[in-house]
Amino acid sequence: MAESGILLVDKPQGITSHDVVAKSRRARGTRKVGHAGTLDPMATGLLLVGVQDATRLLTYIVGLGKTYSATIRLGQTTTTDDADGDVRESTDVSAIDHAAILAGIAKLTGEISQVPSTVSAIKVDGKRAYDRVRAGEEVVLKARDVTISRFDVIDVRCDENTIDVDVEVDCSSGTYIRALARDLGADLGVGGHLTRLRRTHIGLFDVADAVTIDGLEDAPLLTPAEVASTVLGGVQVTEELARDLRHGKRVDAPHRFEGARAAIDPAGRLVGIVERRGATMKSTMNMPEHQENDR
């Protein structure tokens, strides 16, 4: 059986997140592979890939905050809000200065309402928005509330026709950096799109620890216990409590905690995800008792 765990992958430019999953399936010898948090083909950086039983943890990873490094080009709009699309319109940027850029970014920092790009992977009546756009349909997506906790300007480069702004962004799950580029350009009256995007962090997971596509076969996996403890925090349980939790019983909680926690047995294996109610706790998601990554 293939080992269970999470792969940290540094996705290269030019392939889809699904391509990474397909390559991971071949490399790890199992079809039970999934990922948490899609990256567009143009984007590079951190993609978390679950293998075997660890795919059950992906739902807890998807909602983690993200950090991106990106380049926004002001003065041009494109059909996709990024460099993969065709240029729609070019506008003179000579009146835009550094102060105006910072003021525009300030408006897009904090809790904001954002309309995702029409070529996003959001489903509209069961079909991806980008598929509907490619089929010639007019797509109107609903605005969503997101949080931009950091939107820093790293560098600004100007030429006769455009301004490139290098930025770093800390944001909540569900944020579209392409939409930030589009909206910054719209606010400044010159249009904008994304020319570079790299995801550097998902929660506490760092792209510096990720492997390349060529390293998928031999890369060590983070165990389910390691990942769940990092994401949710861990609670140690006895062998007896572990057995009862696996059988669906409500048990006494070893100590007080709020929200969900990873229950870890004496052997260091993930029993499951538990939630506390009063002085007791119960598993809301169980892992198999005999895991392929037992150490």
Side-chain angles (χ1 to χ4, degrees), residues 166-178:
D166 294 336
V167 299
E168 288 184 356
V169 179
D170 292 338
C171 57
S172 61
S173 178
T175 301
Y176 284 85
I177 309 301
R178 280 182 297 169

Side-chain angles (χ1 to χ4, degrees), residues 134-153:
R134 290 168 186 162
E137 298 180 35
E138 183 177 350
V139 175
V140 178
L141 298 177
K142 295 180 180 179
R144 56 173 62 186
D145 294 332
V146 298
T147 301
I148 312 300
S149 52
R150 182 172 69 98
F151 197 164
D152 288 346
V153 174

Side-chain angles (χ1 to χ4, degrees), residues 1-5 24-25 27-33 51-54 221 291-294:
M1 291 287 289
E3 187 180 6
S4 290
S24 299
R25 284 171 174 162
R28 307 308 294 205
T30 177
R31 288 201 56 79
K32 197 173 180 181
V33 177
V51 180
Q52 290 291 90
D53 296 325
L221 297 173
Q291 300 170 26
E292 292 80 10
N293 64 339
D294 284 353

